Amino acid sequence: MIEDDVWIGSGATILRGVTLGRGSIIAVGAVVNRDVLPYAIVGGIPAKIISVRFTDLQTLLEHERALYPPEKRLSKTGLERTLGYAQIP
């Protein structure tokens, strides 16, 4: 399943049953064999998180408020989980 606002690079392979979380970015040529967290940037073979689109919760919450009505916004807990990967080099 591909959620909203996902970017997929040329030549990327997404295996069956994988969910690409909202706002995620898939690098060129990546092979995605497991679910991708919202707003994560993944790349490689197999794809791994290499970064996240936002590094602070406030900016991420503002982005969600700007694009989605309250009933469609992701939970704060789920967004905090994504931000846990922000420190990955």
Side-chain angles (χ1 to χ4, degrees):
M1 173 197 288
I2 301 173
E3 295 182 353
D4 295 334
D5 195 26
V6 173
W7 302 355
I8 301 174
S10 176
T13 301
I14 316 300
L15 298 183
R16 182 175 300 176
V18 169
T19 296
L20 303 180
R22 176 188 291 175
S24 60
I25 299 174
I26 313 305
V28 170
V31 175
V32 184
N33 63 351
R34 63 178 103 168
D35 293 349
V36 176
L37 291 173
Y39 301 105
I41 301 171
V42 301
I45 303 170
K48 293 180 176 30
I49 295 177
I50 54 178
S51 189
V52 292
R53 288 181 55 189
F54 300 96
T55 56
D56 68 275
L57 185 59
Q58 187 59 35
T59 304
L60 185 45
L61 291 172
E62 289 172 12
H63 177 79
E64 283 280 312
R65 278 193 292 271
L67 294 181
Y68 302 101
E71 66 275 4
K72 299 260 183 177
R73 293 180 194 152
L74 297 176
S75 72
K76 185 176 177 181
T77 304
L79 296 174
E80 287 172 334
R81 180 174 172 231
T82 296
L83 289 177
Y85 289 92
Q87 302 305 318
I88 294 175

